[in-house]
Amino acid sequence: MKEIVPAPPAIVRNAAAAVQALFEKNVIPSYARFDLALSHGAGSYLYDVAGRRYLDLGGGIAVCCLGHAHPAVTEALLEQSRKLIHVSNLYYTEPQGRLAEALVRLLGPGKVFFCNSGAEANEGLFKLARKFGHDEGRYEIITAFNSFHGRTLAGIAATGQEKVKKGFEPAVPGFRHVRFNDLDAVRRAISPSTVALLIEGVQGEGGITPASPDYLFGLRRLCDERKLLLFMDGVQDGHFRTGRFQSFQRIIENAEGRTQVAESFLPDGISMAKSLGGGIPIGAFWVRAPYADLLGPGSHATTFGGTPLACAVALRVLEVIQRENLADNARNVGEYCKTRLLELSQKHPRVIRSVRGLGLMIGIELASNIPGLSEDGKAVSLQFVGRLHDAGLLTIPSGTQVIRFLPPLNLSRQEAEEGIRIFEKVVGDLD
Ligand SMILES: Cc1ncc(COP(=O)(O)O)c(C=O)c1O
């Protein structure tokens, strides 16, 4: 006889502690979570289990590009789930083909592989590089210090931050790190084994540091001269967050006197995830035409890659972004936030050291000894984010000193003003 498992007791409303207790007992404690149990969302706002409202300028770490509970996402999910959710990649499905076509149109001649996360998209690029260099015995990939490329074994080997590697040695071989935005450092690091470079256009987890146009142009030239693949990790800074589809397009758009170079600039591979599905897990990597067939039949696969469900949602997300011109919104609202934050940094230099970023990817570097923050041993960024929570604003810490705004791309000017008002009050109280 089938065993009947009793239903778990209902979680009592207003009981964040009950939710946290479930986690403590049953969920592997690999995340240091904030003391918030969230229940639902609408647009740019989130609500906790006690019904308290927060303005969400974190966007689920650059994922919820249309905000929460967007009707277009819900409709696409419902429509496609009634039709077909998954069949495997043994067969052709229209949404995957159409999404690949849309991404190729946005980037240039090439092809796309679909997967489920940013780390997995980067893994695909690592395999592509190894395949490319295999017959010449080349396998080494150069990445930057302070970069972040995911938490898989190769992802942490590629990442230029010691903290993600500690305890998981020995590292996957074949990665070398150099200073970001330093072309000579890359030139010096190239060895006979080098096959590719991988960089973020705007380092995200590393604290919101954009690459310079000269660096990008220089890397392209160097890769062409030395027969190396140039990869860009667009997982966090991609999907219109900076005001263009990919951050490199935004970075080089005003490269003075070099319009022609800017127009023809393309990396050889780009990884994507996060905002691509607006909250539904989907990752992808695009490969430029000359290399697009290197990963032939049987060489790479993933069960859930490019399901009709994920692709239908991603297509709808793209449609909304383009129809509502959210790239321009990211640019304009981002510029407003950055200007106001820069003003705040001038008014409160004891709290804010600097403000950086492009579009709706903004980093605020905090001073190291903020008068009002004194919890021993706790990073300033975490303490500051906690204060913002108390004031009803969600943001994302980056390391010990920086906090990030990575809000929905449809954040309105009024919502941005509200966010800055809350931020200003917290900064003022700490100074
Ligand atoms: C630039 C970059 N690459 C890769 C990743 C890894 O993505 P995922 O967490 O989806 O594996 C992240 C995640 O923050 C990222 O910011």
Side-chain angles (χ1 to χ4, degrees):
M1 222 177 82
K2 192 169 167 238
E3 190 191 347
I4 297 174
V5 182
I11 292 171
V12 189
R13 204 172 132 71
N14 295 355
V19 179
Q20 288 178 14
L22 287 175
F23 272 64
E24 261 148 48
K25 187 140 185 257
N26 305 294
V27 177
I28 287 176
S30 66
Y31 296 100
R33 292 176 204 268
F34 288 107
D35 221 6
L36 280 183
L38 298 169
S39 135
H40 59 285
S44 301
Y45 293 91
L46 278 167
Y47 297 80
D48 67 15
V49 290
R52 184 163 182 230
R53 192 172 90 145
Y54 301 84
L55 176 61
D56 181 15
L57 296 189
I61 323 185
V63 167
C64 308
C65 58
L66 299 183
H68 302 281
H70 194 288
V73 174
T74 310
E75 269 163 36
L77 269 170
L78 275 174
E79 269 170 36
Q80 188 59 45
S81 65
R82 285 200 185 103
K83 214 163 136 189
L84 194 65
I85 293 178
H86 171 88
V87 288
S88 88
N89 280 301
L90 293 172
Y91 314 101
Y92 297 97
T93 52
E94 191 183 340
Q96 184 175 145
R98 285 182 47 224
L99 181 59
E101 180 192 38
L103 296 176
V104 167
R105 274 211 189 121
L106 283 163
L107 289 167
K111 290 183 182 171
V112 181
F113 178 93
F114 290 102
C115 53
N116 306 283
S117 68
E120 203 188 348
N122 285 331
E123 289 279 341
L125 291 181
F126 304 150
K127 282 181 71 177
L128 180 85
R130 288 211 173 181
K131 196 81 197 225
F132 174 67
H134 187 263
D135 293 348
E136 297 166 343
R138 295 193 295 150
Y139 61 92
E140 208 166 71
I141 300 172
I142 298 174
T143 71
F145 286 125
N146 252 352
S147 61
F148 185 83
H149 300 297
R151 294 284 195 154
T152 54
L153 275 180
I156 61 174
T159 292
Q161 301 189 46
E162 281 310 307
K163 67 181 182 198
V164 306
K165 306 169 195 264
K166 240 163 83 186
F168 299 106
E169 300 86 353
V172 171
F175 293 94
R176 198 179 261 221
H177 303 95
V178 296
R179 225 162 65 114
F180 188 57
N181 266 335
D182 182 345
L183 193 59
D184 279 337
V186 177
R187 205 174 274 125
R188 284 193 302 271
I190 294 172
S191 77
S193 306
T194 308
V195 71
L197 314 181
L198 170 68
I199 60 147
E200 294 156 88
V202 183
Q203 289 191 330
E205 300 301 305
I208 313 291
T209 313
S212 71
D214 281 340
Y215 184 55
L216 294 184
F217 290 138
L219 290 180
R220 181 66 276 177
R221 261 197 319 273
L222 198 54
C223 285
D224 291 342
E225 281 163 22
R226 308 294 292 266
K227 217 176 138 212
L228 309 175
L229 297 178
L230 176 58
F231 292 154
M232 297 206 60
D233 181 333
V235 169
Q236 187 166 147
D237 63 8
H239 228 61
F240 305 97
R241 180 151 299 281
T242 60
R244 293 287 294 269
F245 179 52
Q246 291 296 321
S247 65
F248 67 84
Q249 297 166 325
R250 175 78 204 266
I251 291 167
I252 65 180
E253 70 183 9
N254 292 325
E256 256 174 65
R258 287 168 298 180
T259 327
Q260 266 182 331
V261 188
E263 271 166 16
S264 63
F265 179 95
L266 264 183
D268 300 310
I270 301 171
S271 52
M272 297 168 251
K274 290 197 181 274
S275 282
L276 181 57
I280 298 305
I282 179 169
F285 61 91
W286 166 90
V287 180
R288 199 161 70 82
Y291 314 108
D293 290 331
L294 268 176
L295 292 174
S299 63
H300 195 49
T302 177
T303 297
F304 289 117
T307 63
L309 187 74
C311 291
V313 173
L315 273 164
R316 197 68 62 86
V317 167
L318 203 50
E319 212 177 283
V320 174
I321 292 175
Q322 292 181 319
R323 191 179 62 231
E324 298 184 1
N325 211 353
L326 297 184
D328 279 356
N329 192 63
R331 195 181 279 257
N332 298 335
V333 176
E335 196 51 42
Y336 164 77
C337 290
K338 206 169 134 186
T339 307
R340 292 294 318 277
L341 290 166
L342 279 165
E343 284 164 15
L344 273 184
S345 72
Q346 276 149 18
K347 201 166 146 201
H348 299 283
R350 293 198 303 170
V351 180
I352 302 174
R353 187 179 286 159
S354 67
V355 178
R356 307 185 280 266
L358 290 172
L360 284 173
M361 187 174 191
I362 300 173
I364 301 134
E365 187 178 347
L366 302 168
S368 35
N369 293 309
I370 297 177
L373 292 181
S374 54
E375 273 183 71
D376 273 351
K378 193 168 178 185
V380 169
S381 58
L382 299 182
Q383 293 187 60
F384 195 90
V385 167
R387 294 294 180 100
L388 293 174
H389 288 173
D390 295 343
L393 185 67
L394 302 189
T395 59
I396 310 286
S398 180
T400 55
Q401 289 308 129
V402 177
I403 65 164
R404 283 173 284 176
F405 287 5
L406 300 163
L409 304 180
N410 56 5
L411 187 78
S412 70
R413 170 72 183 243
Q414 289 91 315
E415 288 163 344
E417 284 169 8
E418 182 190 343
I420 297 291
R421 253 195 325 272
I422 300 173
F423 196 86
E424 182 168 16
K425 169 88 175 57
V426 170
V427 170
D429 288 350
L430 287 171
D431 199 3

